[in-house]
Amino acid sequence: SDIMGRVFISYSHKNIDIVSKVNDELRKNHILTWFDKDDIHESDYWDTHIKTAIFASNVFLMFYSKEYLASVVPFVVKF
């Protein structure tokens, strides 16, 4: 929705099942999301694409889990 803006979803791919369900529910309720599974492609410069998406979003939704913390290559945005 225009009020909410866009929601950037950050998660561990090990949690894809639950995160996909939440993303689907948000979209069913007309909330715009940025979800890597749907919004990034192999040919994209993923780091630039992700940074741009984060800054274009109004909400950063992090699915915090032990899997998220244990990510081998955590993504860090340098400001």
Side-chain angles (χ1 to χ4, degrees):
S1 86
D2 291 346
I3 296 170
M4 170 75 71
R6 191 170 183 100
V7 177
F8 181 93
I9 298 176
S10 181
Y11 68 102
S12 165
H13 284 210
K14 291 181 179 177
N15 302 128
I16 188 90
D17 293 341
I18 188 68
V19 176
S20 288
K21 290 176 186 175
V22 172
N23 180 60
D24 291 345
E25 287 301 315
L26 290 170
R27 289 183 175 183
K28 282 182 198 173
N29 286 285
H30 309 288
I31 296 172
L32 299 173
T33 62
W34 190 94
F35 186 49
D36 66 344
K37 183 172 117 340
D38 299 333
D39 296 309
I40 199 165
H41 305 93
E42 286 185 33
S43 63
D44 290 337
Y45 292 103
W46 67 269
D47 56 338
T48 302
H49 197 76
I50 289 172
K51 287 178 188 177
T52 301
I54 290 170
F55 287 111
S57 298
N58 302 82
V59 175
F60 184 90
L61 179 59
M62 176 177 43
F63 284 84
Y64 189 81
S65 66
K66 63 184 178 190
E67 294 84 9
Y68 189 89
L69 289 176
S71 294
V72 177
V73 183
F75 178 76
V76 177
V77 177
K78 296 179 183 177
F79 295 95

